[in-house]
Amino acid sequence: MRFYMFFICDQKLNKVGHIKYTFSIKDLENFTGIKAHTIRMWERRYDLLNPERTEGNQRYYDLNNLQKLLNIKLLYDNGFKISKIASLEPEEIPNRVFDIVSELEDSHQAIDMLKMAMLNFDQGLFEKTYMHLISNLSFRRVFIDVFVPLLEHIGYLWQMDSITPAHEHFISNLIQQKILANIERIQTIQHHREDRVFVLYLPHNEIHELGLLYLHYELILRGWKSIYLGPSVYLDNLFDLISIYPKITFATYFTVEPTPPEIDGYMERVKNELLTREDDQMWILGRRITDIDEKTLPETVNLFPGLAKALEHLNT
């Protein structure tokens, strides 16, 4: 199926609320990875983009310019010299993109496509990209090779104010739907690993659950019994599980919560109140693990810098 075309969406984002519809040269750099000085040079030497200027003479770009630059990047990454791209008629550029990317074999190209779907709030484009990916790859490969780096880049774009929370929520919800659909597909798998039960939860006020949901999917797929409690769970609510299951691995993500002033107290409670049996464990993922003093942790607590490391540990 040959649909991988950045130019597929011409629509403009309306000037509604706080949705971003113009982009600075720094935004373009953040989206494409092309340095701002290179973008300026391409403008000056080849007239590839057509920015407008503020009253203070600063460049700004509309969505068409960003789409065109993503197309140019794709051609450039596939061996086209910039002088050759500049010699093409405007309508030829998307045609060359169409010819090159008949199959989504490069995860970076798929990520750029999903970023474009996000920018345009285009669910149809997201679905087409996903369906092509899943026809060639396992869901595991789609999630780890495409969704994970996409979400990491989106987090960076959000921090740099290149996108709005609306963009992040849009794409995150679509990815969540795919995880849930795949969990439902395998939900009837009989668990055959009887030696341990996994209990997955997020701390109170923590709502970033995509990584935890995917871990739930992997545990079910591998035959473990996985109990998913979801976001914003108080620590006290976990004690009920201990009276039912003899060996529990609690798995959680610290992305925003607990905050740095609270994390030491939280871990003290985990150590002294939750993990009182020698066979119980806790796995912690997420960026807040850097705030945890590893020297104070018992051997039953494992910190993982990323989902891939946690999955590797499952195989040991």
Side-chain angles (χ1 to χ4, degrees):
M1 185 184 301
R2 311 207 322 172
F3 59 82
Y4 192 98
M5 298 174 290
F6 290 119
F7 60 91
I8 199 166
C9 258
D10 294 330
Q11 61 190 7
K12 296 287 199 301
L13 296 180
N14 294 326
K15 299 180 182 181
V16 177
H18 61 279
I19 292 175
K20 196 176 187 76
Y21 60 94
T22 61
F23 304 91
S24 69
I25 196 166
K26 187 64 177 177
D27 291 331
L28 267 61
E29 179 179 315
N30 291 337
F31 268 102
T32 65
I34 302 171
K35 295 296 184 182
H37 66 83
T38 301
I39 297 171
R40 292 191 189 98
M41 181 184 71
W42 288 357
E43 282 178 25
R44 185 171 60 251
R45 186 174 298 176
Y46 301 109
D47 197 29
L48 284 173
L49 300 178
N50 300 295
E52 298 186 47
R53 292 185 178 269
T54 65
E55 292 182 1
N57 203 36
Q58 289 185 318
R59 292 176 176 82
Y60 69 92
Y61 303 80
D62 63 13
L63 186 58
N64 285 336
N65 275 281
L66 177 52
Q67 290 172 320
K68 184 178 181 182
L69 185 59
L70 284 168
N71 274 331
I72 290 168
K73 174 181 181 290
L74 188 138
L75 294 178
Y76 188 74
D77 289 346
N78 280 274
F80 278 68
K81 292 183 177 180
I82 194 64
S83 57
K84 172 63 175 177
I85 300 171
S87 69
L88 298 174
E89 294 295 327
E91 63 273 12
E92 281 188 81
I93 292 177
N95 290 335
R96 295 299 180 97
V97 171
F98 184 92
D99 290 336
I100 288 173
V101 196
S102 57
E103 295 184 3
L104 291 175
E105 296 177 352
D106 188 336
S107 61
H108 294 290
Q109 295 168 356
I111 290 167
D112 281 343
M113 191 60 168
L114 294 172
K115 282 190 287 185
M116 186 55 65
M118 176 190 67
L119 276 173
N120 287 284
F121 298 96
D122 189 340
Q123 184 171 351
L125 187 55
F126 175 91
E127 293 293 341
K128 288 179 180 178
T129 306
Y130 174 78
M131 292 305 295
H132 192 86
L133 284 167
I134 207 67
S135 68
N136 293 287
L137 302 170
S138 67
F139 182 66
R140 176 181 294 161
R141 293 270 57 88
V142 172
F143 188 85
I144 292 174
D145 295 346
V146 179
F147 286 164
V148 169
L150 171 68
L151 290 166
E152 289 174 348
H153 193 208
I154 286 172
Y156 169 76
L157 292 172
W158 185 80
Q159 289 179 345
M160 296 297 103
D161 199 31
S162 295
I163 59 172
T164 69
H167 292 109
E168 183 183 21
H169 288 308
F170 173 78
I171 203 75
S172 296
N173 284 329
L174 290 176
I175 292 172
Q176 182 176 13
Q177 289 174 24
K178 297 308 176 191
I179 302 173
L180 290 171
N182 280 274
I183 289 172
E184 184 175 8
R185 180 176 57 82
I186 64 170
Q187 199 75 30
T188 56
I189 292 178
Q190 188 67 32
H191 64 270
H192 58 271
R193 310 289 292 268
E194 300 289 348
D195 55 323
R196 181 164 299 279
V197 170
F198 283 82
V199 175
L200 278 56
Y201 80 99
L202 294 179
H204 182 59
N205 289 330
E206 179 63 75
I207 60 173
H208 296 81
E209 62 177 320
L210 292 183
L212 195 71
L213 266 175
Y214 182 77
L215 180 59
H216 183 49
Y217 165 81
E218 283 279 356
L219 290 168
I220 296 171
L221 193 63
R222 294 163 186 249
W224 295 97
K225 182 174 178 59
S226 178
I227 300 171
Y228 190 81
L229 301 183
S232 199
V233 176
Y234 285 104
L235 203 57
D236 290 342
N237 299 147
L238 302 178
F239 299 140
D240 292 336
L241 281 298
I242 295 175
S243 63
I244 302 173
Y245 298 105
K247 293 182 181 180
I248 298 176
T249 294
F250 297 95
T252 186
Y253 266 78
F254 290 1
T255 303
V256 176
E257 297 288 339
T259 61
E262 300 169 333
I263 204 161
D264 287 343
Y266 191 95
M267 294 309 301
E268 278 296 309
R269 289 200 64 200
V270 166
K271 181 170 62 175
N272 297 325
E273 299 178 37
L274 187 64
L275 300 182
T276 56
R277 304 181 304 187
E278 63 179 16
D279 289 328
D280 290 339
Q281 301 176 9
M282 176 169 276
W283 293 8
I284 307 176
L285 300 87
R287 65 171 180 248
R288 281 275 185 255
I289 66 169
T290 57
D291 298 318
I292 298 174
D293 184 357
E294 293 188 53
K295 290 179 285 190
T296 65
L297 297 180
E299 292 183 358
T300 50
V301 176
N302 290 285
L303 305 182
F304 296 102
L307 183 59
K309 290 295 183 183
L311 297 179
E312 283 178 19
H313 192 73
L314 273 178
N315 295 328
T316 59

